[in-house]
C-alpha cells in the first residue's frame, strides 16, 4: 500500500510520539525524513556501537598524543557532540581541520564518560567511517574557542549565533513564544495580526518611521503616494487591538513595533517585538495587574520547572551557556525574584515617589521628587531591585505623563488628575510592561483628545468604536526583548534579537 | 497561607486543567479571575437554574406574543448566547434594545431545546435579574441581522469582525498559528524573528517600501538618514533565515512581509504574513516537498480531526459560519483535497507545460507554452484543480524565472538551465508555497549574482556565510493569508487579515 510505505520509511523517531500526543493519526498525516541533528542524537540515542553520522561546525579541537577530540555543534542543542579521534596525528594533518569548519563525521556511537553520556568514535582505518569537511573557513574566522565579549560579537552579525551563549538565547526566545501561545490559549485569547503600516500615531509621541513605495504610484495618478496618504510603521498596535477585542472578546499579538527615537541604550531598539493583549469587560486595574503577573510567572515557571534531566530544557540551555559558577547562581536568583511566594506589590505613583524620597539614598544635588515628576529609570530599578526586591506595579500615574486613551483613576482627584494605568518594574531592567483601562466613553475620550489638541478627524475610525456598542476594556504591552533580556541576564537587548536595528546601524 | 488564598479565589475553571496538563503546579503560578465569556459558559456550564451574567453584542431580537429572544455574541465562540425574555413587551419597550448594542444580562441558566443546549432565561420581575445596555449604537449601525456581502463589510473595517463569518476566520487563523508552533516544535525547529527593516532586497524585484524617520537624524549629523543608509521593509526574510539556520540548524518564522506591487487582486496584499522555514543538510528537493506537504497536512488534519463534539472546534466554527448547506459541503471538499490518501503529485516544470499544452482546453487565440514561458495563475489553478484534483508540486523551473540564490537542478542541462526549486499549487488559489535548495558554494553563488548584474558588495554579509563554514541547506516560504483563504474558502485574502493593506488604502 502506498501510504504504508511512507510511514515505514520514516526513521524520524522523535516526531511520532509528540504529534501522536496531539491527537494525530498516521493516515492523513505523513512523516518526512529530515537529516537527524545533534539534539535528536542525544534525545533519541541510536543503538550502541552502531554507525551514526553527525554534522555541525567545529567548536574546538584538542590534540593529545594518542587521542584527539573534536567538539561539534549544529546549534540545535546546548551540548556539543564529542568526536574521539583514535589516530589524531594522521586525521588532523590529513584534513587540516580548523575551528569553524562545517564537517560531517560517520563513526561509532559509544558511551562517554563525560556529561553528554554518548560520543562518536572515529577511526580512519575503518572503511565505513568517514570524516570530511563540508565548508571551509577563512584564516580570519572570528569565532574561536576562547570566550568573546558580547560587544565584539555584535560586530560579526552573521556568525555571532554560532556561540553557545547567543544560540541559547535564541532557543530561549523560541521557548518563551511557545509558552505565550499556551498561556493565551488556556485563557481563550485569540491571536491576531494587527497592521504594521498605519496612518495613525498610537502614542502621539511623533517619533515614527515613514513608509513610502520606492516608485511613484502609477495607478490612477490621483494620489502621489502608494496608500493615498501618509503612512507610518506602527509604534503600538493597541488601537487596532481595541477594535478587535470589541469583536472577539480577548485578543493578543506578538508583533514588530518601531520607534524612531534617536537613543542608543542597552534598553532600546528601533525595531522590537511587542506582546500586546486587550480584553473586554475588565473594570478593575488589579485584575489587569494580576493577569500580567500570571503571564510572566507562567513563562518563568515553565523555564524553571521543565524536566531538569531532559536534554531539551531551555533553562539547562541557558545555564550551560554560563561558564562561571557565580553567573549560574545570578541567573537562578533572577528567576526566583519573579517567583516570590506572594503577589507582587502594587503601589500608586504617589506612594512610589514618597518611598523614593524617603528611602532612596541621594546625593546632595538630587532634588526630591514632586508630584508630576517622572520617575527615572535608575529610580525604577532601585524601587524594584533594592526596595521591594521583587517586581512591582506602579499604578495611577499623573494623566499628563500618559497617552490620551486611558481611563481616569477610580479615585480621581481633579487637583492631581491620574489615570487607571500601571507600569511593571523589574529589578535590573526597570519598566517591562505598561497597561491601563481604556476610556470607553465617547465624550470623555473626545475631551481627552481636545485637551491634547489631537486631530479627531484622523482618529475617526477609533473614536467610532465608542459609539457603536462600546464596551469597557483594558490591556497592556510588554517589550519582548526586555523580557528575554531579564530571563537570560543579558543586559543589552541587542543580544536578544537576531539582527538588532538601532540608529546608524542596519548593516544587512 | 497567602498563596492558598489566591488559588482558592480562582473561579476560572477552564484554566486549571489545561495548564496543569502543561506540567504547571499551583504554587508559583497564580490564577486570575477574568470576567467569564460566552465560550466559557458553554464549555464549563454553570449549575442549572443558577444566576449567571453574560455580556456581548446583540446579534438579533425576535419578538413574539408571549416570549422574546435576544441572541448575544461576544466573538469568543461561534454559538450565540440565547436570552429568553419572559415578558418581551415590557422588556423591549422599556430598554429600546437594538441590534449592535453591547448589553449585560443576569438571568437564570436553563436547558435549551436548541443546538446550544443551554440558554439564559430573563424575567424583569425577579429583582436579582438584570438586563442593561452597556454601549448604545447609532441609527446607522451597519451590521444588521441580514447577511452582508464581504465586499460591503470591507467598508466597515472596525465593525466587520462582529459578523460570524469574519470572526470565525480570525479564530481559524489563531488556531492555525498554534498548529504551526506544534508542528515546528515537534520537528525541533527554533522560531526566530528576522528583521523587518533591511538594507537588502531579497528577491531582487525592486518593488519595495522605503523606510525613513519622520525627523532628520540629529545624532552626529554625519548621515542624512536614521540608519545611515537606505533601508526598506523586507520582502522576504529568507536571506537572514539562511544565516540563522547555519547557526541553529533549523529555523522558522511567521512574520510580516511587504511588497509595493501596484496590483489589487484577491490574491495580493501590500502587507502580508509569511511563514518561512530554512534548515541545514538537506540535499534532495523531494525531502523539502515532503516536509512542506506534512506541514499543510498537519494544520488541515488538526482542523478536521478536532473533537467533533467540542464547543471549541475551529472546523465547527467555520462550518457554523456558513448558512447554506452547499457551502458547508464545498468547505469540506476543500479539506479533503488536501488529505488525499497518497503523496501529492510532483512534476517538473517541463512536464507541467507539456500537460498544460496537451490537456488544457484553450481558445484558438491561446498559444502553446514554450520552454521558458511563465505558467499563468489560471493555468496553475487548472493543473491542480482540474488535472490532478489535488495539490501539486511543480519543480525545476527555468533559472531565468527564479532568484539568484537557488541551486542548480540535480539533472542540469546547460541548454535549458533549471534550478532545484518548487512551487506548490493548490486548487482554486494557485501558488501557495515556493521553496528551493540554496546555492551554498561561494563561486557559483557569486557567478549567479554577476550574471544578474547584482551589486555583490551590498550583499557581502550574505555571501560571507558561503566562505565561513558553509553548509548545504534549503527552505521555503508560504503566504499565510493564502493558506487561511484556502482553508476557509474565502476567495479574497483581504478577508483573512484584520486590516488589509493594499494600494490606495490604509484608512486606519
Amino acid at each position: 500500500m502506498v501510504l504504508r510505505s511512507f510511514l515505514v520509511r520514516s526513521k524520524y523517531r522523535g516526531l511520532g510520539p509528540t504529534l501522536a500526543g496531539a491527537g494525530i493519526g498516521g493516515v492523513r498525516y505523513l512523516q518526512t525524513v529530515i537529516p537527524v541533528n545533534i539534539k535528536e542524537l542525544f534525545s533519541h540515542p541510536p543503538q550502541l556501537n552502531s554507525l551514526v553520522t553527525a554534522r555541525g561546525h567545529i567548536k574546538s579541537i584538542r590534540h593529545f598524543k594518542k587521542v584527539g577530540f573534536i567538539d561539534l555543534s549544529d546549534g540545535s542543542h546546548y551540548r556539543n557532540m564529542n568526536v574521539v579521534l583514535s589516530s589524531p596525528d594522521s586525521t588532523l594533518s590529513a584534513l587540516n581541520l580548523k575551528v569553524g569548519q562545517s564537517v560531517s563525521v560517520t563513526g561509532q556511537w559509544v558511551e562517554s564518560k563525560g556529561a553528554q553520556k554518548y560520543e562518536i568514535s572515529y577511526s580512519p582505518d575503518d572503511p565505513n567511517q568517514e570524516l570530511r569537511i563540508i565548508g571551509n573557513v577563512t584564516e580570519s574566522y572570528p569565532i574561536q574557542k576562547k570566550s568573546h565579549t558580547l560587544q565584539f560579537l555584535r560586530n560579526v552579525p552573521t556568525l555571532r549565533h554560532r556561540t553557545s551563549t547567543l544560540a541559547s538565547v535564541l532557543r530561549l526566545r523560541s521557548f518563551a513564544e511557545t509558552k505565550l501561545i499556551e498561556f493565551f490559549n488556556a485563557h481563550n485569547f485569540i491571536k491576531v495580526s494587527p497592521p504594521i503600516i498605519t496612518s495613525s500615531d498610537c502614542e502621539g509621541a511623533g517619533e515614527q518611521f515613514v513608509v513610502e513605495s520606492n516608485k511613484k504610484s502609477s495607478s490612477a495618478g490621483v494620489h502621489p503616494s502608494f496608500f493615498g496618504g501618509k503612512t507610518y510603521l506602527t509604534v503600538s498596535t493597541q488601537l487596532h487591538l481595541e477594535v478587535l477585542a470589541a469583536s472577539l472578546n480577548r485578543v493578543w499579538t506578538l508583533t514588530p513595533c518601531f520607534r524612531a527615537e534617536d537613543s542608543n541604550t542597552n534598553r532600546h531598539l528601533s525595531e522590537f517585538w511587542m506582546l500586546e493583549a486587550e480584553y473586554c469587560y475588565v473594570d478593575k486595574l488589579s485584575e489587569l495587574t494580576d493577569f500580567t503577573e500570571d503571564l510572566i510567572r507562567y513563562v518563568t515557571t515553565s523555564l524553571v520547572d521543565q524536566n531538569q534531566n531532559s536534554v531539551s530544557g531551555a533553562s539547562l540551555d541557558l545555564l550551560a551557556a554560563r561558564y562561571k559558577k557565580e553567573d549560574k547562581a545570578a541567573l537562578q536568583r533572577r528567576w526566583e525574584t519573579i517567583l516570590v511566594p506572594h503577589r507582587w506589590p502594587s503601589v500608586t505613583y504617589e506612594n512610589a515617589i514618597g518611598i523614593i524620597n524617603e528611602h532612596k539614598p541621594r546625593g546632595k544635588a538630587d532634588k526630591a521628587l514632586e508630584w508630576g515628576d517622572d520617575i527615572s529609570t535608575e529610580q525604577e530599578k532601585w524601587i524594584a531591585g533594592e526596595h521591594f526586591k521583587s517586581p512591582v506595579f506602579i499604578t495611577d500615574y499623573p494623566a499628563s505623563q500618559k497617552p490620551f486613551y486611558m481611563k481616569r483613576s477610580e479615585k480621581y482627584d481633579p487637583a492631581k488628575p491620574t489615570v487607571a494605568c500601571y507600569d511593571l518594574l523589574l529589578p535590573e531592567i526597570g519598566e517591562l510592561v505598561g497597561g491601563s483601562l481604556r476610556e470607553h466613553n465617547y465624550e470623555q475620550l473626545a475631551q481627552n483628545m481636545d485637551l491634547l489638541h489631537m486631530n479627531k478627524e484622523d482618529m475617526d475610525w477609533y473614536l467610532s468604536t465608542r459609539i457603536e456598542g462600546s464596551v469597557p476594556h483594558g490591556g497592556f504591552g510588554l517589550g519582548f526583548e526586555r523580557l528575554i533580556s531579564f530571563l537570560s541576564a543579558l543586559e543589552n537587548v541587542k543580544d536578544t534579537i537576531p539582527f538588532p536595528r538601532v540608529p546608524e546601524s542596519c548593516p544587512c
Side-chain angles (χ1 to χ4, degrees), chain A residues 150 153-163 165-174 177 254-259 264-275 478-486 488 490-502 505 507-508:
Chain A
L150 293 166
L153 291 172
R154 272 173 234 138
N155 297 321
V156 284
T158 59
L159 299 173
R160 66 179 188 146
H161 294 104
R162 295 195 194 168
T163 62
T165 298
L166 291 179
S168 75
V169 172
L170 290 193
R171 289 191 297 261
L172 168 71
R173 190 180 165 119
S174 177
E177 275 202 47
L254 182 62
T255 194
C257 288
F258 304 83
R259 307 253 166 119
N264 206 334
T265 76
N266 64 5
R267 306 168 68 242
H268 289 90
L269 294 166
S270 306
E271 170 182 325
F272 62 104
W273 286 69
M274 182 128 82
L275 186 169
L478 175 156
F480 192 50
E481 283 78 19
R482 286 196 188 170
L483 176 65
I484 302 302
S485 163
F486 182 82
S488 64
L490 293 192
E491 311 298 337
N492 197 321
V493 287
K494 295 189 190 85
D495 299 324
T496 65
I497 191 167
F499 297 91
R501 297 302 185 226
V502 294
S505 175
C508 57

Side-chain angles (χ1 to χ4, degrees), chain A residues 174-191:
Chain A
S174 177
F175 173 83
E177 275 202 47
T178 297
K179 294 298 150 189
L180 293 179
I181 291 251
E182 279 178 19
F183 180 84
F184 281 110
N185 278 349
H187 287 83
N188 293 316
F189 277 65
I190 316 285
K191 186 156 190 254

